[in-house]
């Protein structure tokens, strides 16, 4: 498994204190990406499943407050076979697992079977805009969301809000999600930031991406009006 970074984080990458693995490679290239160093699959180094599993087992005492292990950006689902093998092994050890994904994998439903806590980005409801700003269409993202919603499983949807990109459409987002079973789904809004701007080796294309408190509230109000559950981490 190709990994370019790892470390502990509390509550922001799934519940509790978690050992977070940043997997190399991503099929998207979001113009606001805060981890551009991990977009290329050549980043980082290779670890065997056994090495990672042993590290997770030896870290058990640090998984407090319902914590565990999280696999995140780049895009963890780009290494599906290795990921599934490791998730199965962690489940046998009773270690809680979490995936953070952009939702584009056609194997996400399979991966979700072995994942305790699933976090999925939903970057734009419009296919053309989604492709313009991420270089990937959103058809598979929507298909995965809709199939996962039918299962009734836990799902944590994160929506980055970026001025002039996707922050003008609170009602359209809320309307789309309200058409599906969201009983076990929570939604989180991530206000734009520039924490990764200095990491970019090429031109950083987001201009004036910050949103106002009023915009954030408009999204919160739209989702609450549709009975959608909000969460903050």
């Amino acid at each position: 498994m190709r990994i370019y970074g790892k470390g502990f984080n509390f509550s922001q990458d799934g519940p509790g204190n978690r050992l977070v693995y940043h997997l190399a490679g991503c099929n998207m290239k979001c113009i606001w990406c805060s981890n551009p160093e991990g977009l290329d699959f050549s980043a980082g180094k290779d670890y065997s499943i056994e090495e990672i599993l042993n590290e997770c087992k030896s870290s058990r005492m640090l998984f407090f407050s319902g914590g565990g292990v999280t696999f995140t950006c780049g895009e963890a689902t780009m290494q599906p076979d290795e990921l599934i093998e490791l998730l199965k092994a962690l489940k046998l050890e009773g270690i809680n697992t979490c995936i953070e994904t952009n939702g584009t994998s056609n194997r996400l439903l399979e991966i979700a079977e072995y994942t305790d806590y699933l976090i999925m980005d939903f970057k734009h409801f419009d296919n053309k805009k989604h492709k313009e700003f991420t270089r990937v269409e959103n058809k598979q993202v929507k298909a995965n969301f809709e199939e996962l919603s039918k299962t009734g499983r836990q799902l944590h949807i994160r929506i980055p809000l970026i001025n002039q990109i996707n922050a003008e459409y609170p009602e359209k987002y809320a309307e789309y999600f309200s058409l599906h079973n969201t009983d076990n789904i929570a939604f989180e809004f991530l206000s734009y930031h520039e924490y990764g701007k200095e990491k970019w080796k090429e031109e950083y294309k987001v201009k004036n991406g910050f949103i106002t408190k009023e915009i954030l509230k408009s999204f919160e109000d739209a989702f609450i009006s549709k009975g959608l559950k909000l969460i903050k981490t």
Side-chain angles (χ1 to χ4, degrees):
M1 181 174 276
R2 191 78 171 179
I3 294 171
Y4 76 88
K6 57 184 176 179
F8 279 88
N9 199 3
F10 184 80
S11 81
Q12 293 182 338
D13 298 284
N17 199 47
R18 310 194 70 85
L19 176 55
V20 181
Y21 289 97
H22 294 263
L23 276 63
C26 188
N27 59 324
M28 286 188 178
K29 193 174 184 180
C30 304
I31 64 172
W32 60 87
C33 182
S34 58
N35 296 296
E37 71 276 22
L39 295 176
D40 192 327
F41 194 77
S42 65
K45 58 179 290 188
D46 291 322
Y47 294 83
S48 70
I49 299 300
E50 184 179 11
E51 285 178 308
I52 301 170
L53 181 60
N54 287 338
E55 185 172 45
C56 294
K57 288 162 63 176
S58 67
S59 301
R60 284 180 189 274
M61 295 299 294
L62 298 174
F63 298 153
F64 53 82
S65 301
V69 178
T70 296
F71 301 96
T72 186
C73 58
E75 176 51 40
T77 62
M78 288 187 69
Q79 302 181 60
D81 294 329
E82 297 89 339
L83 182 61
I84 289 172
E85 181 182 349
L86 189 50
L87 289 171
K88 287 180 177 180
L90 289 167
K91 183 173 284 290
L92 289 174
E93 291 292 334
I95 294 175
N96 184 277
T97 58
C98 172
I99 298 294
E100 292 182 295
T101 177
N102 61 26
T104 59
S105 174
N106 60 8
R107 297 182 66 182
L108 184 57
L109 296 179
E110 179 186 0
I111 292 167
E113 289 184 30
Y114 308 103
T115 305
D116 295 307
Y117 195 87
L118 182 59
I119 301 173
M120 190 176 94
D121 284 356
F122 195 96
K123 302 175 191 294
H124 210 298
F125 68 88
D126 181 82
N127 187 52
K128 183 178 179 181
K129 292 289 186 182
H130 193 281
K131 187 172 183 179
E132 176 183 353
F133 296 117
T134 73
R135 79 178 181 188
V136 176
E137 293 187 342
N138 71 358
K139 294 177 182 179
Q140 187 67 56
V141 179
K142 284 187 172 182
N144 282 333
F145 168 76
E146 291 166 17
E147 288 302 313
L148 287 166
S149 72
K150 293 176 185 176
T151 69
R153 70 150 292 152
Q154 164 280 331
L155 182 60
H156 178 162
I157 296 290
R158 282 180 169 164
I159 304 171
L161 296 180
I162 306 154
N163 186 43
Q164 302 182 69
I165 291 179
N166 70 344
E168 311 95 90
Y169 313 105
E171 291 81 12
K172 290 186 178 181
Y173 276 93
E175 178 64 27
Y176 169 74
F177 289 120
S178 69
L179 297 175
H180 305 281
N181 175 17
T182 59
D183 291 346
N184 294 316
I185 300 177
F187 298 88
E188 181 177 21
F189 303 118
L190 304 179
S191 298
Y192 171 77
H193 61 74
E194 293 186 339
Y195 299 154
K197 182 177 181 179
E198 299 305 317
K199 299 180 186 178
W200 280 77
K201 296 180 180 179
E202 55 193 82
E203 179 189 2
Y204 186 76
K205 296 180 179 179
V206 179
K207 310 298 180 186
N208 189 29
F210 294 100
I211 65 166
T212 63
K213 292 180 180 178
E214 290 74 20
I215 288 175
L216 177 58
K217 188 174 187 305
S218 71
F219 272 83
E220 292 172 342
D221 290 346
F223 275 56
I224 290 171
S225 73
K226 293 293 186 180
L228 302 172
K229 178 184 176 182
L230 301 184
I231 189 174
K232 293 183 180 180
T233 59

